[in-house]
Amino acid sequence: MEAPRVLWILFCACIAPTLGSRLKTPALPIQPETEPLISKGLSGCSFGGRFYSLEDTWHPDLGEPFGVMHCVMCHCEPQRSRRGKMFGKVSCRNMKQDCPDPSCDDPVLLPGHCCKTCPKGNSGRKEAESLFEFFQEKDDDLHKSYNDRSYISSEENSNRDSAADFVAVLTGVMDSSGVARARFTLTRTSLTFSITFQRMNRPSLLTFLDSDGNTAFEFRVPQADTDMICGVWKNLPKSHLRQLEAEQLRVSMTTADNKKEEIQGKVIKHRALFAETFSAILTSDGVHSGMGGIAMLTLSDTENNLHFILILQGLVPHGSFLVSAKVPVRVKLLYRQHLLREIRANISADDSDFAEVLADLNSRELFWLSRGQLQISVETEGQNPRQISGYISGKRSCDILQSVMSSGSALTPGKTGGVGSAVFTLHHNGSLDYQVLVAGLSSAVVGVTIEMKPRRRSKRSVLYDITADFAAAQEERGGGRALGSCGRIEARHIHMLLQNELFINIATAEQQESELRGQIQMLPYNGLDARRNELPVPLAGQFVSPPVRTAAAGHAWVSVDEQCHLHYEIVVNGLSKSEDTSVSAHLHGLAEIGEMDDSSTNHKRLLTGFYGQQAQGVLKDISVGLLRHLDEGTAYIQVSTKMNPRGEIRGRIHVPNSCELGSRGEVVEEAEFDDLVFVRDPAELRKDPHTCFFEGEHHAHGSQWTPQYNTCFTCICQKKTVICDPVICPALSCPHTIQPEDQCCPICDEKKESKQTTAVEKVEEDPEGCYFEGDQKMHAPGTTWHPFVPPFGYIKCAVCTCKGSTGEVHCEKVTCPPLTCSQPIRRNPSDCCKECPAEDTPPLEDDEMMQADGTRHCKFGKNYYQNSEHWHPRVPLVGEMKCITCWCDHGVTKCQKKQCPLLSCSNPIRREGKCCPECMEDLMEKEEMAKKVEKKKNWRH
């Protein structure tokens, strides 16, 4: 029922433009749970559930099946009130009268255009070609014609197979308004944590408490001038691991100042952590012990919808109400105290979590989001209201944004032996600092860019060009650095950056497209004392003696602590692979690189063997000679492979230290391994503690499959737990349905739809269909389904459709039923749509027909229709839409556009009075045949 509301708004904008932004919400809202309120204090226009700035112009989108009205242009005209205040007024007009007269006798209407053009002109062909270029790019993207080795999905990259994430909200125990957000990552038996806090001094002690309230582990917080705490709890006992998984652990932080503040919270698992890219800590202005919260937010991948989940503490006091009593709250999105959006909901003391979607953020809201200037507020209603709020910014943690650039990951893969290394820092205000170093290149650098994944080789998606900050190295050829900051990172790009979806590209004089390329990835914090805020040591084949022309590259962080223990962390990209994918890293301490001798055992230590892309650890028994070489800068890290046993990449390291007597303390070597990117064989799966065993097979954590016992279910493995969800079938708009034996959901009975039989049969002949990544299944053209999104399962609030003509999957949120109450509510957090409370049901209007008894009628616009009656809808400024048919289905109006047959040509056109496009070649051939027939007739007479 989305279209009727927009039709009503369009009608009002046309006949009464003076209403402007003061247009009242009609009785049939499109999506009441996502419609933004008119921005108080901001000048602009509200139209169709969207907010437009002054002077904005747009074509109104009436939704399916009407689509965008290309011949109607709406304008937000600036107006000034009597008091001098600026406001917006919406006016819409039909542009068809402004179309130029075509010079040909048979003009055609191209898809997406308002004015007709001549089909045989070059300009018409160019317009058609440009219109379909987007679809061609999508098709090329499926058949990747460029190198894509550097692209690893964020899910693969996040080490999901061996790590589990937890979160805690810490609030005040005694007279403290402090609030902290703690994120934990469990890797085998080590629990790393990143904690940010507000409204309190820096804590001095972090304590983990077991289920009995006893101290399980203490961490002395180092002094620093930051609100970030990073640390690790190593070697968790099995009893505490079980309590962590059972959400029975608590964490406490205390200060050492005169206030002796303490905040505390429960460590819990949460499925939203893996997708979070923005966050906020919610605090109160006054002193309210135990009150606070956090917001975890993320943008939709394709649309500007902001999804968020609130975890609230103390907003509903346990002693004031029944534990399960519902309390109404208002969730507001603010900019400098101006209200942008507002959502109402009900929470309780025992269930205070809340999830919602803010749909269609406009350009200004996205700009403020990227700058950390949007504020989210939660306030209880009624007597003695309580309020907490916080500013939204890019997600912060102790992890580091970094990239290894190699020639093997370039758009055209090569083996140059060069290396690139980059470290990034994202600030609260949206600025992005970068440090980039390159070495061993074949020629001078001509371009340093931050990019998205290209659609195809000739269509690179460059976001930020930082070449101006690059300075070539004086002492070596093919090297240099770039230091600087991007001050205007867009919100969408921040989201992609934190999802590991951006790349850094190095172009040179000889390789002007790409010589080095690397994916910008979030490297998880591991608790090691390596200086990760500094540029790491580059590892390249050009540094090996003799040089190795390899496609691989790497970098390493190395440091020496007060006990003279060596901390190291190595990241590689594109190493040579053989049947044995193991890699060994050696630390060499030699006086000169020219005298390198791999057969020598002097000062040569094996650090670790590792798989995938990472290796890290601590080396505690280091000789005095090796420490001296580290201090003098004559030590090297070298990575060897089976293909290059004498070294494939190497880097020179310089770590100043004062360890004349060698390492102090126990002689133990620690090493940790990351199995990031490699094929899991059955033996490895059986060893993984997070593997699921189901129906006689092992499944890796994060994987999904269709179970044998019922093909209408989809199962996923979540840390030893198998979760199987039944397929949820969407509601169908057709009047007749059938249930095929080989499918889980009913489909429309096309045989009874005589008007659409031909089109449907042509669609069904298409063998391609659509492949949906969520459920990893093929879907027939024209079918609809609820998407399966791991780890959440089937999403009831969205419906996906397989577009048979393009093979694309189009997903959109479920349209909620119309509401007539002034304050709709969401009864349960999992409900898709709001509803009217029982006590707030208004009386029927005078012109509203009673439909409680007998067959229900339908009201569309100002007209009423009988059940099963069909009609063509009328749109203001456009007239009757003859290509769309609406019908009344027991009180519900349903509309459908005429289904058109699939076309194989690249330049379809649409003629006057025709609903479906036609191929220009076919049309010209028909005209030619008609002319020949006419000519023969004239010749006979």
Side-chain angles (χ1 to χ4, degrees):
M1 296 298 292
E2 178 176 350
R5 178 181 182 267
V6 186
L7 290 173
W8 169 255
I9 294 179
L10 182 61
F11 176 76
C12 293
C14 299
I15 64 173
T18 55
L19 292 177
S21 61
R22 299 181 182 180
L23 188 67
K24 293 184 178 180
T25 303
L28 300 178
I30 307 175
Q31 294 174 330
E33 72 280 13
T34 60
E35 180 184 353
L37 299 176
I38 297 176
S39 303
K40 296 182 179 179
L42 299 176
S43 300
C45 303
S46 179
F47 185 92
R50 296 188 179 186
F51 184 78
Y52 295 92
S53 302
L54 296 177
E55 300 291 356
D56 277 358
T57 58
W58 66 95
H59 297 292
D61 186 354
L62 306 188
E64 292 294 338
F66 300 92
V68 178
M69 299 290 101
H70 295 285
C71 287
V72 178
M73 177 66 75
C74 294
H75 179 213
C76 181
E77 298 180 353
Q79 303 288 322
R80 190 177 297 275
S81 66
R82 294 180 179 178
R83 298 182 179 180
K85 186 177 180 180
M86 296 295 296
F87 65 95
K89 180 183 74 172
V90 177
S91 64
C92 299
R93 66 184 183 91
N94 193 330
M95 302 190 309
K96 202 166 186 178
Q97 58 191 6
D98 300 329
C99 290
D101 293 330
S103 58
C104 54
D105 296 330
D106 299 311
V108 295
L109 182 63
L110 296 174
H113 290 246
C114 175
C115 300
K116 294 181 181 180
T117 56
C118 295
K120 299 180 182 180
N122 292 332
S123 60
R125 289 186 180 274
K126 289 182 178 178
E127 288 178 356
E129 290 171 1
S130 63
L131 181 66
F132 287 89
E133 183 180 2
F134 172 74
F135 299 103
Q136 183 64 42
E137 287 178 357
K138 279 189 170 295
D139 184 66
D140 289 352
D141 193 31
L142 296 175
H143 304 282
K144 300 180 179 69
S145 59
Y146 57 88
N147 175 46
D148 201 23
R149 296 182 188 178
S150 61
Y151 185 74
I152 306 165
S153 70
S154 58
E155 187 137 345
E156 288 174 329
N157 216 2
S158 58
N159 198 18
R160 291 276 154 196
D161 286 343
S162 58
D165 293 326
F166 302 83
V167 69
V169 181
L170 283 65
T171 55
V173 177
M174 296 298 290
D175 295 333
S176 173
S177 296
V179 180
R181 171 236 167 84
R183 178 165 182 163
F184 309 89
T185 300
L186 178 66
T187 306
R188 293 175 178 81
T189 61
S190 294
L191 186 69
T192 58
F193 46 86
S194 303
I195 303 175
T196 52
F197 56 90
Q198 292 185 12
R199 293 186 61 82
M200 67 180 300
N201 294 327
R202 185 173 178 85
S204 60
L205 182 65
L206 175 71
T207 306
F208 287 86
L209 305 173
D210 63 14
S211 56
D212 296 326
N214 301 320
T215 299
F217 174 73
E218 286 188 347
F219 175 79
R220 298 289 174 180
V221 179
Q223 295 182 355
D225 296 329
T226 176
D227 61 351
M228 178 74 71
I229 299 174
C230 307
V232 60
W233 177 8
K234 293 186 177 182
N235 301 320
L236 271 73
K238 289 185 177 181
S239 59
H240 291 150
L241 285 172
R242 287 193 294 267
Q243 292 183 21
L244 176 66
E245 290 287 344
E247 300 183 352
Q248 296 175 347
L249 290 183
R250 297 184 67 83
V251 63
S252 169
M253 294 200 307
T254 55
T255 62
D257 54 14
N258 296 330
K259 291 185 178 180
K260 293 289 184 182
E261 292 182 275
E262 181 182 2
I263 59 176
Q264 193 177 121
K266 183 180 181 181
V267 181
I268 63 173
K269 292 181 283 189
H270 208 292
R271 302 175 100 178
L273 285 168
F274 83 96
E276 178 190 19
T277 51
F278 294 88
S279 63
I281 296 179
L282 310 182
T283 63
S284 62
D285 293 332
V287 178
H288 295 289
S289 298
M291 193 166 74
I294 63 172
M296 296 182 286
L297 309 96
T298 188
L299 281 173
S300 300
D301 286 338
T302 56
E303 299 176 340
N304 294 327
N305 299 335
L306 186 63
H307 302 248
F308 68 89
I309 290 179
L310 301 176
I311 302 180
L312 310 173
Q313 295 289 341
L315 201 62
V316 180
H318 282 76
S320 302
F321 302 92
L322 294 174
V323 175
S324 59
K326 296 291 184 179
V327 176
V329 296
R330 294 186 179 186
V331 182
K332 302 177 181 179
L333 190 69
L334 306 166
Y335 170 70
R336 294 183 177 178
Q337 304 307 314
H338 292 293
L339 179 64
L340 303 178
R341 313 278 185 113
E342 184 178 81
I343 298 170
R344 296 190 176 188
N346 292 323
I347 63 172
S348 62
D350 63 338
D351 184 17
S352 58
D353 289 10
F354 176 73
E356 187 51 277
V357 180
L358 298 175
D360 296 327
L361 266 64
N362 59 43
S363 57
R364 290 201 291 183
E365 291 171 330
L366 289 170
F367 175 81
W368 295 329
L369 175 64
S370 69
R371 295 296 174 270
Q373 297 173 340
L374 285 186
Q375 189 178 17
I376 188 167
S377 169
V378 185
E379 180 181 359
T380 60
E381 298 186 34
Q383 295 182 344
N384 301 319
R386 292 187 163 201
Q387 180 182 11
I388 55 176
S389 63
Y391 285 92
I392 304 170
S393 64
K395 180 186 69 175
R396 300 179 60 204
S397 70
C398 300
D399 303 341
I400 185 172
L401 283 165
Q402 54 83 49
S403 178
V404 176
M405 292 161 275
S406 68
S407 56
S409 296
L411 293 178
T412 302
K415 292 186 177 182
T416 66
V419 62
S421 176
V423 174
F424 303 86
T425 303
L426 180 65
H427 295 285
H428 181 273
N429 62 359
S431 61
L432 181 68
D433 296 343
Y434 50 82
Q435 303 177 69
V436 183
L437 182 146
V438 296
L441 298 179
S442 60
S443 56
V445 173
V446 296
V448 183
T449 51
I450 298 174
E451 307 180 355
M452 293 192 299
K453 178 184 176 183
R455 294 190 181 277
R456 51 182 180 176
R457 189 180 304 168
S458 59
K459 288 289 184 181
R460 284 172 53 198
S461 302
V462 177
L463 302 180
Y464 305 99
D465 190 335
I466 60 176
T467 311
D469 293 325
F470 182 81
Q474 300 293 331
E475 64 277 4
E476 61 176 314
R477 174 178 172 270
R481 293 172 179 256
L483 302 176
S485 177
C486 294
R488 288 185 171 273
I489 301 293
E490 297 181 12
R492 168 65 57 190
H493 300 156
I494 292 176
H495 170 79
M496 297 178 69
L497 178 72
L498 298 178
Q499 286 285 320
N500 300 336
E501 294 176 359
L502 297 186
F503 302 82
I504 182 166
N505 191 81
I506 306 295
T508 61
E510 293 184 3
Q511 300 286 338
Q512 298 210 355
E513 191 75 16
S514 173
E515 180 168 335
L516 298 177
R517 188 175 178 89
Q519 185 178 4
I520 303 175
Q521 303 178 26
M522 188 71 76
L523 188 63
Y525 175 72
N526 55 28
L528 299 178
D529 186 22
R531 298 188 182 95
R532 300 173 112 199
N533 59 329
E534 300 178 359
L535 265 175
V537 176
L539 309 177
Q542 289 289 339
F543 298 156
V544 179
S545 179
V548 177
R549 295 186 65 85
T550 174
H555 60 203
W557 285 270
V558 183
S559 64
V560 175
D561 62 18
E562 296 179 353
Q563 284 74 37
C564 296
H565 299 163
L566 180 76
H567 298 249
Y568 65 90
E569 183 165 17
I570 307 169
V571 182
V572 297
N573 183 4
L575 280 175
S576 299
K577 294 184 179 180
S578 62
E579 295 179 0
D580 180 11
T581 57
S582 63
V583 180
S584 61
H586 292 76
L587 182 69
H588 298 264
L590 300 174
E592 293 183 21
I593 193 170
E595 298 178 4
M596 185 82 172
D597 184 3
D598 286 331
S599 63
S600 172
T601 58
N602 287 333
H603 311 305
K604 182 177 179 180
R605 284 296 309 274
L606 174 67
L607 292 179
T608 181
F610 62 96
Y611 297 87
Q613 293 187 321
Q614 288 179 247
Q616 62 267 334
V618 182
L619 191 63
K620 298 186 177 180
D621 56 333
I622 309 176
S623 67
V624 176
L626 183 53
L627 288 167
R628 185 175 65 252
H629 283 292
L630 287 169
D631 185 58
E632 296 173 354
T634 53
Y636 294 83
I637 278 188
Q638 177 169 293
V639 178
S640 304
T641 64
K642 196 168 185 178
M643 301 287 288
N644 292 281
R646 297 177 65 84
E648 184 163 339
I649 54 176
R650 180 191 297 172
R652 182 174 179 174
I653 55 177
H654 180 205
V655 185
N657 63 83
S658 55
C659 300
E660 297 87 356
L661 301 178
S663 299
R664 296 180 286 274
E666 55 191 342
V667 181
V668 179
E669 181 177 343
E670 298 180 5
E672 298 181 14
F673 314 99
D674 270 343
D675 303 328
L676 284 184
V677 185
F678 64 100
V679 179
R680 308 296 300 275
D681 59 26
E684 290 290 335
L685 280 176
R686 285 192 290 271
K687 296 177 183 178
D688 192 332
H690 296 300
T691 294
C692 299
F693 186 75
F694 186 77
E695 293 183 334
E697 295 182 0
H698 289 87
H699 299 272
H701 165 65
S703 63
Q704 62 187 77
W705 67 95
T706 300
Q708 299 174 6
Y709 74 90
N710 192 331
T711 56
C712 290
F713 276 70
T714 298
C715 299
I716 59 174
C717 174
Q718 289 287 310
K719 308 180 191 72
K720 298 187 294 186
T721 302
V722 176
I723 304 173
C724 295
D725 294 306
V727 172
I728 300 175
C729 299
L732 300 176
S733 59
C734 52
H736 306 286
T737 63
I738 58 174
Q739 176 63 60
E741 294 182 0
D742 59 341
Q743 297 186 28
C744 299
C745 296
I747 61 174
C748 293
D749 186 0
E750 305 292 355
K751 294 181 180 179
K752 295 186 179 181
E753 302 294 318
S754 57
K755 294 183 180 181
Q756 302 171 3
T757 301
T758 303
V760 171
E761 288 176 350
K762 290 187 177 181
V763 170
E764 290 180 344
E765 290 173 2
D766 183 359
E768 295 296 329
C770 304
Y771 179 77
F772 185 63
E773 190 66 32
D775 55 19
Q776 299 179 0
K777 294 179 181 178
M778 288 294 298
H779 296 267
T783 56
T784 60
W785 67 95
H786 289 294
F788 184 85
V789 182
F792 301 101
Y794 285 95
I795 306 300
K796 301 177 183 178
C797 298
V799 175
C800 295
T801 304
C802 175
K803 301 292 185 181
S805 58
T806 61
E808 293 179 320
V809 175
H810 177 71
C811 299
E812 60 184 6
K813 193 171 182 182
V814 170
T815 301
C816 291
L819 301 177
T820 55
C821 55
S822 58
Q823 295 183 343
I825 62 172
R826 189 186 308 280
R827 297 196 180 275
N828 299 301
S830 60
D831 290 346
C832 294
C833 301
K834 291 183 179 179
E835 58 187 62
C836 290
E839 65 276 5
D840 193 26
T841 304
L844 293 173
E845 298 177 1
D846 295 337
D847 61 344
E848 188 76 27
M849 299 181 65
M850 295 296 293
Q851 297 177 343
D853 301 322
T855 304
R856 300 186 63 185
H857 300 77
C858 295
K859 182 182 180 183
F860 188 88
K862 293 185 178 181
N863 300 319
Y864 291 94
Y865 297 91
Q866 299 292 330
N867 186 49
S868 300
E869 185 177 355
H870 289 68
W871 70 94
H872 296 300
R874 297 189 64 85
V875 176
L877 296 178
V878 178
E880 188 178 30
M881 308 287 288
K882 295 184 178 180
C883 297
I884 296 175
T885 301
C886 298
W887 67 94
C888 180
D889 184 7
H890 297 87
V892 179
T893 298
K894 298 180 179 180
C895 298
Q896 187 173 25
K897 184 181 292 185
K898 181 178 179 179
Q899 293 187 4
C900 298
L902 300 176
L903 301 177
S904 58
C905 55
S906 59
N907 53 350
I909 57 175
R910 192 190 306 274
R911 291 190 291 169
E912 180 76 20
K914 300 290 185 180
C915 294
C916 296
E918 303 172 89
C919 288
M920 187 180 299
E921 295 85 353
D922 296 343
L923 183 61
M924 295 175 65
E925 186 177 346
K926 289 179 182 178
E927 291 179 353
E928 197 67 30
M929 291 294 296
K931 289 180 181 179
K932 290 181 179 180
V933 172
E934 187 68 24
K935 190 174 182 180
K936 287 183 179 180
K937 288 182 179 179
N938 296 333
W939 178 73
R940 289 175 181 176
H941 295 288

